[in-house]
């Protein structure tokens, strides 16, 4: 009977060691999966951030180009108005300047 108890104890110990070995392998596999998943998440987030930055940059460039066109059109309109005003009043202004210089 003592022999069967010893045999049973040895078998239990063997089973426990096998279960511990399986659990250690599962833990290693889980650690590896966590590392792989973390890397995949980091790569995905980096890619998303790059896409977001690219999109924002494109939007800002379009906005800048729109503002530039608007300001250029405004400038050209003001320049044209000034040129028309100068052409219309050139002789009058020259005469006024001349008169102011002679009287001084």
């Amino acid at each position: 009977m003592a022999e069967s108890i010893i045999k049973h104890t040895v078998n239990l110990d063997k089973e426990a060691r096998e279960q511990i070995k399986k659990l250690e392998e599962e833990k290693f596999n889980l650690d590896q999966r966590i590392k792989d998943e973390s890397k995949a998440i980091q790569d995905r987030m980096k890619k998303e951030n790059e896409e977001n930055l690219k999109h924002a940059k494109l939007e800002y460039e379009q906005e800048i180009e729109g503002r530039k066109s608007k300001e250029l059109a405004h400038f050209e309109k003001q320049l044209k108005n000034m040129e028309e005003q100068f052409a219309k009043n050139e002789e009058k202004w020259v005469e006024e300047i001349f008169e102011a210089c002679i009287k001084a």
Side-chain angles (χ1 to χ4, degrees):
M1 177 151 165
E3 190 177 303
S4 70
I5 293 175
I6 294 173
K7 217 179 209 186
H8 182 67
T9 304
V10 169
N11 284 338
L12 287 175
D13 182 61
K14 184 179 177 183
E15 288 176 13
R17 288 177 192 246
E18 288 175 0
Q19 286 180 346
I20 290 172
K21 185 177 178 182
K22 285 180 183 178
L23 290 172
E24 286 174 346
E25 288 175 359
E26 285 181 28
K27 180 186 178 293
F28 176 79
N29 290 337
L30 285 174
D31 289 343
Q32 190 61 41
R33 281 185 56 200
I34 289 171
K35 286 180 187 177
D36 293 343
E37 287 293 320
S38 294
K39 175 76 170 127
I41 289 170
Q42 287 175 349
D43 290 345
R44 188 176 73 239
M45 294 302 293
K46 183 179 178 182
K47 185 177 179 181
E48 286 177 14
N49 286 339
E50 288 172 354
E51 288 296 320
N52 289 339
L53 286 173
K54 194 179 196 180
H55 182 70
K57 182 180 177 184
L58 182 62
E59 283 181 356
Y60 288 132
E61 286 174 351
Q62 289 172 345
E63 182 179 342
I64 289 169
E65 194 60 37
R67 287 183 180 182
K68 180 180 170 184
S69 297
K70 183 179 175 182
E71 290 300 319
L72 186 58
H74 178 71
F75 170 78
E76 289 173 352
K77 181 180 176 184
Q78 293 294 350
L79 181 62
K80 183 179 177 187
N81 288 341
M82 289 172 60
E83 287 173 344
E84 288 173 356
Q85 189 175 10
F86 178 77
K88 181 179 175 183
N89 296 309
E90 178 182 11
E91 288 182 28
K92 177 184 167 189
W93 291 343
V94 169
E95 188 176 312
E96 288 175 358
I97 292 171
F98 180 74
E99 287 295 323
C101 290
I102 290 178
K103 289 182 180 179

